[in-house]
Amino acid sequence: MVKIIGFCILFMTTAAWAGDKAIIGPTAHMFVTETGLNFEARIDTGAGNTSLHAYDLEVEGGSAKKMKDNVGKMLMFTTENAAGEKKRLKGKIVKTSTVSNSQGRETRYMVELHVGDKGFERKVKVNLRDRSHMDYKLLIGRNWLKGKYIVDVSDKKLIGPVAPISIVETGLMFKTRIDTGAVENSLHAVDLHVEGGVDDMEKNLGKILSFTTENEKGEAKRVHAMIVETSLIRNAQGSEVRYMVELTIGEKGQEYKVKVNLRDRSKMSNKLLIGRNWLQGHYLVDVSI
């Protein structure tokens, strides 16, 4: 989606200029030169690195037991875009990348590829991951965006990839990951208890849910809120259903009501993740801040 702000001029089909940085929307058409394929990419400020769908990975000459010992070797892999177009590639493993998510940690190979609007691609390190069950086969992370792009899910104030955010109902401040790749906000929550709850999560809508949350400093609070809906979340490990409640969230003194899904984020660095349902209509994301 293209947004033009003030004196910005149209930048190809993907972005507009604001000052010395281009503005790019939450999704964009991207071309990966080495593949000859076009991808509809998710622009994700929550991801440090760009990630490409890849399967049938094979290290030339055989793989060492430890992935990091394969750095410098040639890797063969197959990628595929959303249209089902496939390409078998061969590239040098330049490093490995360890990715943390709510299911734990995993290590991925990284290769260098040219990614961008067709004719304006830039070389970037890309980690390789089976994204076959994901909507977007290419995810653009901060290593491609930094210094060149502001991510616009609306057309408002600037916010960085991490920000101090308040949740009024908890009385706590959170060091929050701002994640344009996430549709919804997500809050660390454990010890969930539904008053008069049943096993069927859908039948608990409208009931009061109590849970404990904790910020990065270890400050904890027990919260009571009404379940407003359930949310089906898909990620690299599969899918899960989470409860959603409404909480008052924002920069201190500028909070507003928004839906939040609840998930045990004890393994994650950031206990609160802000998604597009909070950003929409309010903020631009600049990963250089």
Side-chain angles (χ1 to χ4, degrees):
M1 178 184 296
V2 176
K3 294 286 186 180
I4 303 177
I5 299 180
F7 57 84
C8 302
I9 63 172
L10 186 65
F11 175 66
M12 298 174 290
T13 59
T14 308
W17 286 98
D20 61 349
K21 293 178 183 175
I23 297 173
I24 194 168
T27 63
H29 296 292
M30 292 282 172
F31 185 73
V32 180
T33 307
E34 290 79 1
T35 69
L37 302 178
N38 290 293
F39 293 82
E40 180 72 9
R42 167 61 70 201
I43 310 302
D44 188 351
T45 62
N49 294 310
T50 296
S51 183
L52 177 68
H53 173 47
Y55 58 96
D56 291 341
L57 277 65
E58 182 182 353
V59 177
E60 191 172 68
S63 177
K65 183 176 291 187
K66 294 182 179 179
M67 292 180 67
K68 66 180 181 179
D69 292 336
N70 290 321
V71 173
K73 296 181 180 179
M74 299 303 292
L75 177 71
M76 291 167 286
F77 62 94
T78 300
T79 191
E80 182 177 356
N81 63 14
E85 299 169 316
K86 300 179 183 180
K87 180 73 174 183
R88 186 72 175 167
L89 298 179
K90 184 177 181 179
K92 181 189 289 187
I93 301 169
V94 293
K95 64 181 294 186
T96 59
S97 171
T98 300
V99 178
S100 298
N101 53 43
S102 57
Q103 280 67 43
R105 293 159 64 88
E106 64 175 302
T107 301
R108 305 174 185 173
Y109 289 124
M110 297 191 78
V111 299
E112 287 186 325
L113 297 172
H114 290 81
V115 180
D117 198 65
K118 194 166 186 176
F120 296 87
E121 304 91 340
R122 290 185 289 112
K123 185 188 287 187
V124 66
K125 291 183 176 69
V126 178
N127 71 49
L128 304 175
R129 178 69 166 86
D130 187 341
R131 299 176 60 85
S132 56
H133 67 286
M134 306 295 285
D135 292 333
Y136 296 91
K137 309 308 179 190
L138 174 63
L139 181 146
I140 298 294
R142 298 193 301 276
N143 67 334
W144 189 89
L145 296 164
K146 193 168 184 178
K148 296 182 180 293
Y149 288 90
I150 291 171
V151 179
D152 179 11
V153 296
S154 62
D155 57 355
K156 302 294 181 179
K157 295 187 295 182
L158 285 178
I159 195 168
V162 177
I165 298 294
S166 162
I167 300 181
V168 173
E169 290 81 358
T170 69
L172 302 176
M173 294 291 297
F174 292 79
K175 183 181 178 182
T176 304
R177 169 61 65 198
I178 309 301
D179 187 351
T180 61
V183 175
E184 301 166 353
N185 310 298
S186 183
L187 176 64
H188 172 56
V190 294
D191 297 330
L192 278 66
H193 175 73
V194 181
E195 293 181 12
V198 295
D199 290 339
D200 187 341
M201 293 177 69
E202 291 293 327
K203 292 182 179 178
N204 290 326
L205 297 184
K207 295 179 181 179
I208 299 299
L209 171 70
S210 60
F211 61 92
T212 298
T213 190
E214 184 179 23
N215 65 12
E216 293 76 11
K217 295 180 179 179
E219 300 167 324
K221 179 74 174 183
R222 191 74 180 168
V223 180
H224 295 76
M226 186 175 73
I227 301 168
V228 293
E229 65 180 86
T230 59
S231 177
L232 176 64
I233 304 295
R234 290 186 292 173
N235 53 38
Q237 279 65 46
S239 61
E240 63 177 303
V241 179
R242 304 176 188 173
Y243 285 122
M244 294 192 77
V245 299
E246 281 192 332
L247 297 174
T248 313
I249 298 177
E251 295 178 282
K252 191 72 173 177
Q254 302 177 53
E255 301 93 342
Y256 49 92
K257 285 277 188 185
V258 68
K259 293 175 182 176
V260 182
N261 71 55
L262 303 176
R263 177 71 165 86
D264 185 344
R265 295 177 61 86
S266 55
K267 296 179 181 178
M268 308 297 286
S269 300
N270 301 102
K271 307 309 178 190
L272 174 63
L273 180 145
I274 288 294
R276 299 194 302 278
N277 65 335
W278 184 87
L279 294 164
Q280 192 81 42
H282 297 274
Y283 287 90
L284 303 179
V285 181
D286 184 354
V287 300
S288 301
I289 294 177

